Amino acid sequence: MTTYSLDDSSVFVVIGSGAGGGVLSRELASRGHKVVCLEAGPRLTLGDIVNDETEMFNKLTWLDPRMATGKPDPRFPVWGCKTVGGTTMHWTGACPRFEPHEMRARSTYGDMPDTTLVDWPVSPEDMAPWYDKAEMRMGVTGTHGNPHLPPGNNYKVLEAGARKCGYTDMDTHNMAINSVARDGRPHCRQLGFCTSGCALGAKWSTLYTEIPAAEETGNFELRPGCMVTGLEVGEDGRIASVTYLHEGQSITQKARAVSIAGNVVETTRLLLNNRSERHPDGLANSSGLVGRNYMRHFTIQVMGVMPGKVHFYRQTHLAGVVRDERAHRPERGFAGGFLISTVPFTPEVLAKNMLVGGWGRDLTRVLDKYEYLAGMLLTGEDPPQHSNAITLHPEARDANGLPVPVIHYEDHPNTIAMKEYAWKAGRRIYEAMGAEEIVEMGDYIPATHNMGTARMGEDPKASVCTPYGRTHDVANLFVSDGSLFPTAGGCNPTLTIVALAMRQAQHIDGELRAGRL
Amino acid sequence: MVGADTHTGLARREVLRGIALGALLPALGGLAAPLHAAELDAEGPGERETSAALLRQMFPHAAFAPAFYDEMAGRYLEELAARPEALAEHRRGLALLDASYIAPFAQLPAVIQRALVARVDQEPFFTAYLMRGAELVYRDARVWDALGYEGSSVEYGGYLDRGFDDIDWLPGAGEMQ
């Protein structure tokens, strides 16, 4: 196994090993660059993954203290993972691309009060080949010759109801879950525990794809259990070293360049917490936008008690999608759109979700029909708002002595209007199939879709990073996660994070070879 | 039937906004209760019986025997034994339910029990018991059997050959593939 000296100032340090960090690490290592990846969480094996949501929640989730103001529950305001693989361990595997109109949000949606809508600095045409590469890398079903996953019960109900409602654009979705054995991993066997880590490894996660591939290059060292606390700026204004905590010890690794891919909360905390004379408001924060424009998709649900048994837990969580409402049709009363897909719940999580609305027979008459339940998830675009922000608490410190992040988030009126429409659209689908009872549930649990807090753009005053994710202020510092997104689109972010990381890796490779890094 | 449920749907989204939403997640249950040390010694009559009857009002399933609710209530009280403040709060709440002057809560008809519970369902003791109770009840394998949830599947090779696509009641099934 390759190891690098702490004094080796030629290594590229990647912070985080998920969709952004894991992919960037492999891309750079496979191009011959020396990479050290620092991951706060442990390195699990497939043997650590069990079909038990509670056990896996505790194994995978970032549970260090966070605070909240505004809408989020202060006890769990944001969802991320602290494990090698990051949220690629928890994600459903859904791989929709951004739509062109979503990447041109400002031009398409026009003025939207109280938002910071912009067009992406990367065009849909520029992104297309990188989406292709990402889909090929991850083996996304329904793309590049990878067959779709087979339709299961929960999807069949959604599809039949959606067709009755006049929808036409639907299938078992583009999933980074093997429908056939490929890349040394087996095909999906419909375990039904996708978000608890895939015990078979059929779902793409960097833990058992990009990370071992990076190691095979001989140019890569993964250091799990390493919580980065500091980025030291040298006299030349560049990051000279990275300091992290490992088993209670503070360790400093010299670096040629650094990329942060810690998911938005940790990426924000690391930048804001590294203040100096040169960077009084935090690293790379001359724009004042680090932590600002925090976006998260709404993820609301509709459950239907159907006339026959569904057994909605017997398949992949996200077993299919209806795309017809994704388009921008302002006559619906909002800008942007949403996806309709399937979701199952265990009895426990369903009960806890429904408890928000009441107890007693209102609850148990639905649970008594558990075998008859179909479930859908509605996920929609969230416009960027300057006031939605991640900041650091002035006094509160966690066990590592780091300031506790404070998440502030409120729904924009556009989001509220879209949610109300989406609930009705979802309800219609199950009504069309003769549902005996329909339950609408809100976005009490945050999705792991975190975006926007280090947005990329051409103007250093209006963005944190360049269109390649390089910070405007520090020449050898990059960001490689969803923080880069200028807008959120109406779809799951991981495929775009991977595509951007692959594109960024090519840029970094060029800069390194040209001696500019 | 469906149209009449509009109100139910809205209610689910609005009513108990005060419940810790983070507690919805596995393993994040449990609410802090205010400290009232003076109430620590106020053990009510039939604490376990009242707790069991309350749990049954929270999660009434005809298929579950009274002994099941009693067992789960016992487990909850055991957990509270290590948290004196929470136990005191729980006892304070049980006393509210047992203070009807008709009969102890556990002996009241279900319809009266429901009305009494509705008066206390915003109390911290109630929301704490509701969330932890949901975990105790719906994490139990006997409950899964009763509800028809089959749980862990990896040891059986998943659901691929065990009914993941066996739905047979859809009108026109097969025509739309």
Side-chain angles (χ1 to χ4, degrees):
Chain A
M1 207 59 92
T2 307
T3 57
Y4 293 108
S5 154
L6 296 175
D7 293 327
D8 188 342
S9 58
S10 69
V11 298
F12 193 106
V13 174
V14 176
I15 300 166
S17 63
V23 169
L24 180 67
S25 291
R26 177 184 179 176
E27 293 295 291
L28 293 178
S30 66
R31 287 173 167 88
H33 306 295
K34 296 191 275 186
V35 177
V36 170
C37 180
L38 302 171
E39 165 58 52
R43 183 174 194 164
L44 303 182
T45 66
L46 284 183
D48 294 314
I49 300 171
V50 295
N51 283 182
D52 182 317
E53 286 197 346
T54 305
E55 182 173 342
M56 294 313 299
F57 178 85
N58 286 312
K59 275 187 187 172
L60 299 178
T61 309
W62 199 299
L63 293 170
D64 295 9
R66 278 92 164 78
M67 297 181 183
T69 56
K71 184 188 165 189
D73 185 300
R75 263 169 279 206
F76 197 70
V78 63
W79 199 331
C81 292
K82 189 180 195 174
T83 185
V84 174
T87 50
T88 68
M89 293 297 286
H90 166 79
W91 75 317
T92 61
C95 282
R97 295 183 179 199
F98 264 62
E99 293 286 341
H101 75 265
E102 292 168 342
M103 298 184 69
R104 300 187 183 108
R106 180 67 181 78
S107 304
T108 310
Y109 306 159
D111 273 329
M112 195 189 292
D114 302 319
T115 70
T116 55
L117 275 180
V118 288
D119 290 354
W120 280 47
V122 188
S123 72
E125 296 73 25
D126 288 342
M127 278 299 285
W130 297 103
Y131 274 133
D132 285 337
K133 287 188 213 302
E135 288 163 347
M136 285 187 265
R137 169 67 56 82
M138 301 158 87
V140 176
T141 61
T143 74
H144 313 287
N146 297 305
H148 276 100
L149 285 158
N153 295 343
N154 202 15
Y155 170 66
K156 287 180 177 181
V157 175
L158 176 67
E159 180 190 34
R163 289 204 189 280
K164 286 195 171 196
C165 292
Y167 295 129
T168 58
D169 185 3
M170 64 198 74
D171 53 42
T172 59
H173 212 352
N174 306 113
M175 303 295 292
I177 297 178
N178 280 355
S179 53
V180 293
R182 66 173 288 287
D183 196 26
R185 296 178 292 118
H187 68 76
C188 171
R189 293 202 59 87
Q190 306 288 342
L191 303 189
F193 285 84
C194 303
T195 57
S196 296
C198 179
L200 297 178
K203 179 183 80 174
W204 180 85
S205 168
T206 55
L207 172 68
Y208 39 76
T209 59
E210 310 309 298
I211 297 296
E215 287 174 328
E216 279 169 29
T217 67
N219 298 319
F220 176 76
E221 180 186 355
L222 175 72
R223 295 183 195 161
C226 295
M227 178 68 201
V228 176
T229 55
L231 299 170
E232 292 80 40
V233 182
E235 287 188 0
D236 57 358
R238 297 158 58 88
I239 305 294
S241 60
V242 179
T243 297
Y244 57 93
L245 288 169
H246 178 63
E247 296 176 349
Q249 301 281 317
S250 186
I251 297 168
T252 297
Q253 168 70 55
K254 288 187 177 170
R256 179 177 191 176
V258 175
S259 183
I260 311 176
N263 205 322
V264 302
V265 179
E266 293 306 322
T267 296
T268 298
R269 173 157 71 171
L270 191 53
L271 291 173
L272 291 183
N273 196 38
N274 277 268
R275 295 185 179 84
S276 59
E277 210 166 295
R278 197 192 291 253
H279 301 281
D281 300 317
L283 264 180
N285 195 25
S286 65
S287 65
L289 291 175
V290 171
R292 292 278 163 186
N293 301 304
Y294 169 54
M295 297 176 287
R296 56 203 297 172
H297 297 122
F298 70 75
T299 51
I300 58 177
Q301 301 100 37
V302 175
M303 301 282 125
V305 178
M306 307 314 292
K309 290 184 179 179
V310 181
H311 295 287
F312 67 168
Y313 57 86
R314 284 183 185 167
Q315 59 193 289
T316 51
H317 279 201
L318 211 158
V321 67
V322 178
R323 303 183 184 88
D324 298 67
E325 297 283 6
R326 175 88 178 274
H328 172 61
R329 293 201 302 275
E331 64 271 22
R332 291 176 299 184
F334 51 86
F338 60 96
L339 288 172
I340 306 170
S341 53
T342 66
V343 69
F345 288 110
T346 62
E348 177 191 338
V349 175
L350 178 64
K352 287 160 115 183
N353 267 288
M354 288 183 63
L355 285 176
V356 175
W359 45 271
R361 283 300 295 160
D362 282 351
L363 169 79
T364 55
R365 74 165 180 268
V366 174
L367 281 158
D368 278 337
K369 292 281 196 169
Y370 184 77
E371 293 173 289
Y372 294 77
L373 286 173
M376 71 172 77
L377 183 74
L378 304 135
T379 310
E381 178 155 11
D382 177 25
Q385 302 175 75
H386 186 265
S387 54
N388 281 346
I390 295 167
T391 54
L392 303 183
H393 194 276
E395 287 109 33
R397 296 292 179 269
D398 67 15
N400 291 325
L402 295 170
V404 174
V406 182
I407 318 300
H408 177 79
Y409 179 86
E410 294 286 3
D411 280 336
H412 188 272
N414 192 75
T415 302
I416 294 168
M418 197 191 303
K419 282 202 280 194
E420 290 299 329
Y421 178 96
W423 266 310
K424 288 191 190 115
R427 166 176 286 272
R428 265 200 310 277
I429 289 173
Y430 287 153
E431 282 174 351
M433 297 309 295
E436 289 171 21
E437 178 162 2
I438 289 171
V439 180
E440 298 171 8
M441 301 196 297
D443 45 356
Y444 313 120
I445 301 174
T448 46
H449 304 183
N450 298 307
M451 297 159 285
T453 48
R455 55 170 31 187
M456 53 183 181
E458 300 284 0
D459 180 359
K461 289 191 182 64
S463 57
V464 176
C465 293
T466 72
Y468 285 105
R470 188 175 192 161
T471 64
H472 289 299
D473 297 352
V474 184
N476 68 339
L477 179 62
F478 294 80
V479 173
S480 310
D481 59 19
S483 310
L484 293 173
F485 289 21
T487 63
C491 69
N492 317 58
T494 299
L495 177 74
T496 303
I497 293 172
V498 171
L500 286 174
M502 294 177 98
R503 177 174 169 275
Q504 180 182 60
Q506 190 189 59
H507 168 76
I508 291 171
D509 177 53
E511 293 293 284
L512 287 168
R513 286 180 193 285
R516 289 193 292 264
L517 256 182
Chain B
M1 179 71 201
V2 166
D5 285 322
T6 302
H7 175 72
T8 309
L10 289 175
R12 293 211 186 286
R13 283 150 39 194
E14 302 300 338
V15 174
L16 283 190
R17 206 169 272 288
I19 282 195
L21 300 177
L24 299 176
L25 292 149
L28 280 182
L31 297 172
L35 283 163
H36 295 297
E39 294 175 19
L40 273 176
D41 55 353
E43 182 169 355
E47 179 174 287
R48 176 142 168 178
E49 289 76 9
T50 305
S51 296
L54 174 56
L55 191 65
R56 191 170 196 181
Q57 279 302 324
M58 291 169 167
F59 309 111
H61 291 277
F64 302 179
F68 171 77
Y69 294 101
D70 180 67
E71 178 187 334
M72 293 299 145
R75 283 175 55 185
Y76 186 65
L77 291 171
E78 278 172 31
E79 291 177 4
L80 289 190
R83 298 163 51 215
E85 300 88 355
L87 179 60
E89 183 66 18
H90 185 69
R91 285 175 173 165
R92 191 186 65 78
L94 298 183
L96 295 173
L97 294 171
D98 278 324
S100 71
Y101 303 108
I102 305 168
F105 178 78
Q107 294 168 23
L108 294 169
V111 63
I112 296 178
Q113 286 184 344
R114 269 199 298 283
L116 289 174
V117 176
R119 289 190 201 163
V120 302
D121 72 0
Q122 303 294 323
E123 297 276 340
F125 96 94
F126 181 87
T127 51
Y129 191 22
L130 190 68
M131 277 298 160
R132 183 60 188 146
E135 292 174 353
L136 289 168
V137 170
Y138 295 109
R139 234 176 245 176
D140 191 281
R142 291 165 294 178
V143 169
W144 291 2
D145 286 344
L147 298 181
Y149 173 58
E150 296 160 288
S152 175
S153 72
V154 63
E155 60 271 45
Y156 307 111
Y159 290 109
L160 185 61
D161 302 320
R162 293 165 63 240
F164 95 101
D165 63 347
D166 66 353
I167 197 162
D168 59 2
W169 56 267
L170 286 176
E175 289 169 18
M176 44 202 152
Q177 295 305 314

